[in-house]
Each structure stands twice: as C-alpha cells, then as structure tokens.
Amino acid sequence: METLVKSLTSIFTKQLSLDQDKEQIIAYSLRLVISSIIGYLAIILIAYPLNILHITIPMAIAHSVLRVCSGGAHASTSTHCFIIGSLIFSALGLIVKWLLPIYNFMYISVSSAFIFIIAILIIKKYAPADVPDKPIKAKAQREKLKKLSLWVVIIWYLVIKLSLLFTGDKYATFIIATGWGILWQSFTLTKAGYKFTEFLDSLLFNIKISRRYDNV
C-alpha cells in the first residue's frame, strides 16, 4: 500500500506543484482512502458468506465516521488493521444477528440510550485519542476534534430517536448495528481498547502475518 501511496502522491505533487506540507496532506489522505477501501473489502469478503453484510456495513460506517474525528487505537501495520477490523466487525455482526430476535422497541430504546451515554462519557474523557508517532499537539485542534466527535454521537442518537418515534422498530437492524459501531469505536478510545488492540497486533506478529515496517 505504501508503494501505491508514494506513487500517487508523487504524481499529484508534480502535476499540481505542491509544497512539502501539502504533499504530506495528500499522502495522508490517499493512505486513509486506500486503507478504508481495502478495509471495507475485507469486511465484505468475510461478512457476505456469513449473511451479515446488512449488519456489518452500517456498523463499520458508524465506526468510521466517529473514528475520523475521535481517533483511537490502531494496529501497527496496514495488514493488521485490515485483518483485525474485518474479524472484529464480523464477530460483532454475528453477535448482533444472534441477539436480533430478543430486541424489541423498549430494548432498542434503552440500549441506544445506554450507548449514547457511554459514548459521550468516553469521548469527553479520551477523545481525540492519538498515537505516539502521530500526536495531536495543538490544543485548538484537540478541542475541535472532541466537539466534532460529540456531535457525531449526538446526531446519531437524534436520528435513532426520530426513527423510533416515526417508524417504531422497522429499522431495528440498522439502529442496533450502528449503535454497536459507535460503542466499539468508543471502546478503542480507552486504555483498555489500546491494550486490546496491542494484544491482537502482537498475536498477529507472533503468527507472522506481516512485518513491523509495514506501517499504517
């Protein structure tokens, strides 16, 4: 992936005559877009045969939207990111599929409210959650990202409440899936989320899935 990012960045830089700062922005944006595409393809590859694609895609999208502004734990290589992400969302998708029959209007209302409260508390304390090699140093930037993260969760909850108000539990699968996506992303902001990701990352290194220099 890094080779592709460097090649595309070089093309954009030469064609648009970009300075070094803009070149870094282009490289970061390309890396984000390419990794997102590959990540979703990996999720689809696993989720489709399990018949949980309708659960995992809304879940992953909710997670991705919040992650853009809140940050969070991630693996040390792009390969590990794809593997961990696809396995986690597939596992959560199977759990949601198993739990769907017991969800009713009241259960959905209570669980979504619980997720909203937990997410808000975690975001206020931990977001934006960066990593040592890519720290967010500017205070204004940190405050902006925290506010954006809070608004993502607030807007999600308002949409859920309006959906429940006007359509009942018609879109229960979507509501539950996005809720679990928000909850998982919130978990990755915490110290426990970082430790869990580090554990999975180390586990993949032990079975030699990829090399340490394949950085995200």
Side-chain angles (χ1 to χ4, degrees):
M1 186 180 78
E2 286 302 318
T3 301
L4 177 60
V5 169
K6 289 179 181 179
S7 298
L8 292 175
T9 300
S10 178
I11 293 172
F12 280 115
T13 301
K14 290 178 181 179
Q15 293 295 324
L16 302 176
S17 300
L18 302 176
D19 56 29
Q20 188 174 3
D21 289 339
K22 291 181 179 179
E23 181 180 354
Q24 291 178 351
I25 294 173
I26 291 294
Y28 175 80
S29 300
L30 286 172
R31 190 177 293 109
L32 183 63
V33 170
I34 294 172
S35 62
S36 296
I37 292 173
I38 297 175
Y40 274 94
L41 288 175
I43 292 172
I44 292 171
L45 187 64
I46 297 178
Y48 182 76
L50 297 174
N51 195 29
I52 53 173
L53 199 58
H54 61 298
I55 298 173
T56 56
I57 291 301
M59 186 185 295
I61 291 175
H63 162 272
S64 298
V65 172
L66 180 55
R67 187 177 181 80
V68 168
C69 39
S70 66
H74 65 79
S76 57
T77 75
S78 55
T79 302
H80 287 190
C81 284
F82 307 146
I83 294 173
I84 292 173
S86 58
L87 292 178
I88 288 293
F89 285 115
S90 296
L92 293 178
L94 287 172
I95 293 173
V96 170
K97 182 180 180 180
W98 179 67
L99 291 175
L100 273 176
I102 70 173
Y103 272 98
N104 53 36
F105 181 85
M106 183 59 67
Y107 196 176
I108 295 173
S109 298
V110 173
S111 61
S112 59
F114 172 79
I115 291 172
F116 171 74
I117 293 171
I118 293 298
I120 291 294
L121 291 175
I122 290 176
I123 288 170
K124 282 187 174 181
K125 184 174 182 179
Y126 294 107
D130 51 18
V131 290
D133 59 331
K134 297 177 183 178
I136 303 172
K137 298 180 179 179
K139 183 178 180 181
Q141 180 70 358
R142 295 190 67 84
E143 291 178 351
K144 179 181 178 180
L145 291 172
K146 184 184 291 289
K147 288 180 180 179
L148 285 173
S149 301
L150 290 170
W151 273 112
V152 168
V153 176
I154 290 170
I155 291 172
W156 166 78
Y157 188 61
L158 289 176
V159 170
I160 295 306
K161 294 300 289 184
L162 289 173
S163 177
L164 289 172
L165 179 63
F166 291 107
T167 66
D169 60 359
K170 182 178 180 180
Y171 300 104
T173 301
F174 174 82
I175 293 173
I176 298 164
T178 55
W180 279 63
I182 294 291
L183 190 61
W184 170 251
Q185 170 55 23
S186 299
F187 173 71
T188 67
L189 303 177
T190 66
K191 293 180 180 179
Y194 272 77
K195 289 182 179 180
F196 182 66
T197 302
E198 289 174 3
F199 167 75
L200 295 178
D201 197 33
S202 298
L203 187 62
L204 291 176
F205 275 125
N206 289 336
I207 58 177
K208 299 180 180 180
I209 291 295
S210 65
R211 301 176 182 176
R212 289 186 181 274
Y213 58 75
D214 180 24
N215 294 322
V216 175

